[in-house]
Amino acid sequence: VSDMLTKLNALSEHYKFVVFGLDKWTEYENIDVKYLHQLHVHIASPSFVDYENPDVIRFNGLFREKYKTEPGKYGFLGFDVTYYYLSAMQKYGENFFDYLPEFKMDLFTTSFDFIKTGFESGCENKHVFILKYENFRLVRVIE
């Protein structure tokens, strides 16, 4: 990925690029951040934490106070999944699973947009965030 972005960046003086990448790219330490901006890199991701959101700031503070550490990716995800399913169960009862495709709620780091995959089968979450690099951080473009 780093090699490809380096080569595309060399061409960016003559061509305009918008590069779409995978969520895994955000973990690579050998990618020059300058390239991510110059190539207008967009990332498809199943999750995104907006640390400027007042609810996220409040959750961070409460989590930090109770556990003496940051919630991190799995702290947010654990809260979101638990809150979503327990809320669905509270609203629809033990048959909540049948209502997941229509049950929507705001969460911290993810979203659920379920579709039934078959008459006798389960559901699939089709939600994805589209993120882009802006001012040296990832921001949400499409939810």
Side-chain angles (χ1 to χ4, degrees), residues 14-33:
H14 305 289
Y15 302 97
K16 184 176 179 175
F17 290 99
V18 176
V19 177
F20 281 81
L22 302 174
D23 190 39
K24 189 79 173 159
W25 289 17
T26 62
E27 299 172 18
Y28 295 160
E29 295 178 7
N30 63 338
I31 296 176
D32 190 332
V33 176

Side-chain angles (χ1 to χ4, degrees), residues 7-129:
K7 290 176 180 174
L8 286 176
N9 189 63
L11 296 171
S12 69
E13 293 178 22
H14 305 289
Y15 302 97
K16 184 176 179 175
F17 290 99
V18 176
V19 177
F20 281 81
L22 302 174
D23 190 39
K24 189 79 173 159
W25 289 17
T26 62
E27 299 172 18
Y28 295 160
E29 295 178 7
N30 63 338
I31 296 176
D32 190 332
V33 176
K34 180 176 74 175
Y35 296 167
L36 299 172
H37 287 81
Q38 287 179 262
L39 296 170
H40 307 284
V41 172
H42 287 59
I43 302 288
S45 177
S47 63
F48 173 71
V49 179
D50 179 1
Y51 287 97
E52 294 179 4
N53 178 323
D55 292 331
V56 170
I57 293 169
R58 187 170 52 256
F59 179 80
N60 249 341
L62 292 170
F63 192 97
R64 204 177 299 123
E65 185 179 306
K66 181 166 183 151
Y67 300 107
K68 310 297 186 235
T69 188
E70 298 295 315
K73 176 181 176 180
Y74 295 110
F76 281 110
L77 187 59
F79 177 85
D80 281 355
V81 170
T82 303
Y83 186 58
Y84 178 82
Y85 283 104
L86 289 178
S87 296
M89 189 180 293
Q90 179 184 26
K91 182 172 183 171
Y92 298 111
E94 63 184 46
N95 294 323
F96 73 95
F97 182 78
D98 296 331
Y99 298 93
L100 291 182
E102 63 192 57
F103 185 61
K104 309 285 187 243
M105 65 185 317
D106 292 328
L107 300 167
F108 290 134
T109 186
T110 194
S111 191
F112 295 105
D113 188 8
F114 287 110
I115 57 169
K116 292 280 284 171
T117 55
F119 181 71
E120 293 283 329
S121 63
C123 290
E124 179 180 312
N125 185 13
K126 65 177 185 158
H127 184 269
V128 67
F129 291 101

